Amino acid sequence: MLVILFNVIWLLNLSLVLLKRQNKVIALFSMIIAIYTFLYNTGSNDYHMYEAIYELKNTSEVEVGFKLLITIARFCGISFGVFQGLIGGICLSINLWIFGNYSKNYNLFFTLYFISQFFTDVNLLRNCIMRTLVLLSFYYLMNSCKTKAIITLLITVTIHRATIFYLIFLLYDVSKDSTFFKMMNIKKRKVLKYAALLAIYICTVNYILGNKWILLRNLAKLYLGNGSGKFDYYFSTTTRFGFLIYFILFGTYFLIIYYSKNKVKKYNMYKFSELTDWIYYINLFVILSFPMMMINLDFHRLANGIYFINIVYFAVLIESSKKNLFYYLWVLVLILCNYLWRLPIVQGWDQKFLILAG
C-alpha cells in the first residue's frame, strides 16, 4: 500500500512541476510519507547495523557525536524506530526550511528527492545528518555567518568524519585571499581549479595502474587509520567501471552550474551572482574526491554531501526559467541525473521496495 501511495504522490509532484504549479497540500502529504517511512523502515540494507549500534552492541567505530545522540535517545526511553523517525523528521524539516528561503517550489524538492536520495537517507542515518548539516553550514555561510558555519561543521564531524572534507573547503574560503596568497601573488580560486585538474589527472593515472595506486592507499590510511576495519572494508575491492556513473552524474551537475555561472555573468543577474559563485566552487572542490571513488564507490558519500545544496540551486534556476522548451529540458536533465543514483550497479532497484514495504 505504501509503495502505491508513494508513487502516486511522486507522480502528483512531478505533474505539478511540469505544469509549473505548486500545491502545499501535496507537499505536506509528501513530508508525512517521508517521516512515516523513516519511522517504520525495517527493510533497508543498513537497518540491522544501525539497530545494533542503537542497542550498543556494535559501537566501536561510531563517532562520539552519534553515540551521544543514541545515549540521549535511550535515556529518554525512545525505541530505535522512533529514533529513526526523529532523525528523519528533524533533518527533513531543516532541509525544507532552508530550501524555502530560496524557493517555495516544494513539489520540485520532493520530485527530485523521492527518486533516489530519500532512500539513501533512510538507509544511512549518519549520512542524512551530515548532508543536512552541510546544507545548514552553507546557509550560514551565504548569510555572512562564517563562525556559525564552522561550528556546525565541527559538530557534524563528531557524527560523520567525512564532514572533514567540507570543513577543509570552508576553512580554505575561496571568497578572499589570505596574506600568504597575496604575498605569493596567486589566487585561491585559481589554486582550486588547478587542484581539480590534478585530481582528474590522478584519476587517469590510477585507472592505468588498475585502481591500485599506492599513494591513494597511503593517504587513506592517514584518514581511516592504519589497520582499521574501515580501511580493510574500503580497500578490500576495487571498482571497474562503476565510478563512471558518479563521474557522469557530478560532471553533468558541474556543467549545468558552469553554464549558469556564465549566464549570470553575461546578463548581470546580480541576484544570483554570489550564490552561483559559491555553488560553482564547492562543486569544483568535490572533484577532489573523484580519485577515491575509483577505488570504492562508497566514497561517493564525500561528494554526495552537497546534494541538498545543489537541489536548492537547481530550484532557483528552474523557477527563474520561463515555461518553455528550455524549462522542460532543465527538469528532464535533473530527473535523469537523480535516476542515475538508482542504477543497479550503484544501489539496486530493490532497495526502494524493501524500504517502503519494510
Side-chain angles (χ1 to χ4, degrees):
M1 182 64 185
L2 183 59
V3 175
I4 296 172
L5 185 59
F6 180 90
N7 285 310
V8 168
I9 288 293
W10 182 80
L11 287 172
L12 287 173
N13 279 309
L14 175 62
S15 300
L16 289 166
V17 170
L18 294 176
L19 294 170
K20 207 170 186 184
R21 294 173 63 184
Q22 299 173 29
N23 187 302
K24 291 183 178 179
V25 175
I26 299 298
L28 179 61
F29 269 109
S30 301
M31 185 173 183
I32 291 171
I33 288 175
I35 295 173
Y36 180 89
T37 305
F38 268 102
L39 193 62
Y40 291 102
N41 160 58
T42 58
S44 62
N45 283 340
D46 286 4
Y47 173 82
H48 294 295
M49 181 196 76
Y50 274 105
E51 186 181 37
I53 291 172
Y54 191 78
E55 297 298 332
L56 305 179
K57 296 175 182 177
N58 182 22
T59 60
S60 58
E61 295 188 2
V62 178
E63 288 83 347
V64 64
F66 194 66
K67 286 182 183 177
L68 180 60
L69 289 178
I70 290 172
T71 302
I72 294 171
R74 284 173 60 85
F75 179 79
C76 295
I78 294 173
S79 68
F80 177 60
V82 174
F83 178 71
Q84 284 188 122
L86 284 172
I87 293 293
I90 293 170
C91 287
L92 187 56
S93 298
I94 293 173
N95 287 318
L96 289 172
W97 170 67
I98 296 173
F99 183 89
N101 280 277
Y102 294 94
S103 169
K104 299 300 181 183
N105 195 347
Y106 298 110
N107 301 109
L108 173 63
F109 176 90
F110 283 110
T111 297
L112 299 178
Y113 184 47
F114 274 0
I115 292 174
S116 63
Q117 292 305 301
F118 168 65
F119 301 102
T120 301
D121 284 347
V122 173
N123 190 39
L124 302 167
L125 289 179
R126 290 185 306 128
N127 275 70
C128 177
I129 297 171
M130 181 191 78
R131 292 196 302 180
T132 299
L133 294 183
V134 167
L135 174 63
L136 182 60
S137 69
F138 184 81
Y139 174 75
Y140 286 142
L141 188 64
M142 288 301 301
N143 287 275
S144 303
C145 299
K146 187 178 177 181
T147 302
K148 287 184 179 180
I150 292 174
I151 291 172
T152 301
L153 286 187
L154 286 173
I155 292 171
T156 314
V157 168
T158 70
I159 296 172
H160 201 309
R161 71 181 68 185
T163 315
I164 293 173
F165 185 66
Y166 294 100
L167 186 60
I168 292 170
F169 173 79
L170 196 62
L171 295 174
Y172 184 70
D173 192 1
V174 295
S175 65
K176 57 183 179 181
D177 293 318
S178 62
T179 304
F180 172 78
F181 280 87
K182 288 178 180 178
M183 287 176 58
M184 298 297 292
N185 196 27
I186 54 177
K187 300 287 185 181
K188 281 186 177 181
R189 296 184 174 191
K190 188 167 286 188
V191 171
L192 182 54
K193 289 178 182 178
Y194 286 134
L197 289 173
L198 178 61
I200 294 172
Y201 170 76
I202 289 173
C203 288
T204 306
V205 174
N206 188 42
Y207 187 73
I208 293 172
L209 296 176
N211 285 0
K212 295 180 180 179
W213 195 4
I214 193 66
L215 173 62
L216 292 179
R217 294 171 181 272
N218 288 336
L219 289 173
K221 283 181 182 180
L222 293 175
Y223 175 70
L224 298 171
N226 192 11
S228 70
K230 285 183 177 290
F231 179 82
D232 294 335
Y233 168 75
Y234 285 116
F235 290 90
S236 60
T237 59
T238 58
T239 64
R240 190 178 181 190
F241 298 111
F243 65 88
L244 289 175
I245 294 174
Y246 291 117
F247 283 19
I248 292 170
L249 176 66
F250 289 109
T252 303
Y253 281 169
F254 185 78
L255 288 175
I256 292 173
I257 293 162
Y258 181 77
Y259 170 79
S260 303
K261 185 174 184 293
N262 290 335
K263 184 180 177 182
V264 166
K265 186 176 180 180
K266 181 179 179 180
Y267 294 102
N268 297 319
M269 300 165 69
Y270 298 111
K271 181 181 177 181
F272 305 117
S273 181
E274 185 182 6
L275 176 63
T276 302
D277 273 353
W278 276 109
I279 294 288
Y280 171 76
Y281 283 107
I282 198 170
N283 276 270
L284 192 66
F285 182 75
V286 157
I287 293 175
L288 303 185
S289 69
F290 279 17
M292 305 306 289
M293 282 189 224
M294 293 185 67
I295 295 174
N296 190 303
L297 291 180
D298 280 345
F299 279 108
H300 83 277
R301 296 171 190 175
L302 288 176
N304 203 18
I306 62 168
Y307 175 80
F308 288 122
I309 295 175
N310 282 340
I311 288 298
V312 167
Y313 184 65
F314 294 148
V316 171
L317 288 179
I318 287 175
E319 282 204 336
S320 65
S321 302
K322 295 180 180 178
K323 188 179 174 182
N324 51 26
L325 182 62
F326 189 71
Y327 171 81
Y328 290 112
L329 182 62
W330 273 124
V331 174
L332 177 62
V333 169
L334 291 177
I335 288 175
L336 289 176
C337 281
N338 276 269
Y339 262 112
L340 276 177
W341 293 104
R342 299 242 43 89
L343 287 177
I345 192 172
V346 179
Q347 292 183 27
W349 290 96
D350 61 317
Q351 268 297 288
K352 173 178 178 179
F353 300 104
L354 283 173
I355 288 171
L356 292 175

